[in-house]
Amino acid sequence: MAWTTAIAIYFVLWWVVLFAVLPFGVRNAEEEGQEVEPGNDPGAPTVPAIAQKLIWTTIVTTIVFAVCSSLYIYRLVTLDDLATLWGLLR
């Protein structure tokens, strides 16, 4: 796999994982026992913790990418294997 392809796959995977990680640990004002000020969205997070989520996104993406690239590089799963699995699932 070319390094440019690997970077592109990592980039797309990073964004997918980010959107999966964003809702973790989010608590709104009502759940925190705070009063919602007029004009504010009642579902808005009180502490978004974006830095932590970016770090977790990078860690999870690196692990997922390492597993997927290992499967590709060492040919542990081939297209024939996937076709066989798909046939069993249908």
Side-chain angles (χ1 to χ4, degrees):
M1 168 180 349
W3 65 273
T4 52
T5 304
I7 290 173
I9 292 171
Y10 187 88
F11 178 77
V12 170
L13 191 57
W14 191 90
W15 279 99
V16 170
V17 172
L18 174 66
F19 286 114
V21 168
L22 276 177
F24 292 169
V26 173
R27 295 180 53 87
N28 62 24
E30 182 181 335
E31 293 171 337
E32 290 288 329
Q34 300 173 359
E35 184 178 329
V36 178
E37 298 178 16
N40 286 348
D41 183 5
T46 54
V47 181
I50 295 296
Q52 286 181 329
K53 291 179 182 183
L54 294 177
I55 291 169
W56 276 109
T57 297
T58 304
I59 291 169
V60 170
T61 302
T62 303
I63 293 169
V64 170
F65 181 78
V67 168
C68 291
S69 63
S70 295
L71 291 174
Y72 174 77
I73 290 170
Y74 296 114
R75 304 278 190 240
L76 299 175
V77 176
T78 64
L79 288 177
D80 292 335
D81 295 338
L82 293 176
T84 303
L85 179 63
W86 181 253
L88 293 174
L89 294 176
R90 292 197 312 165

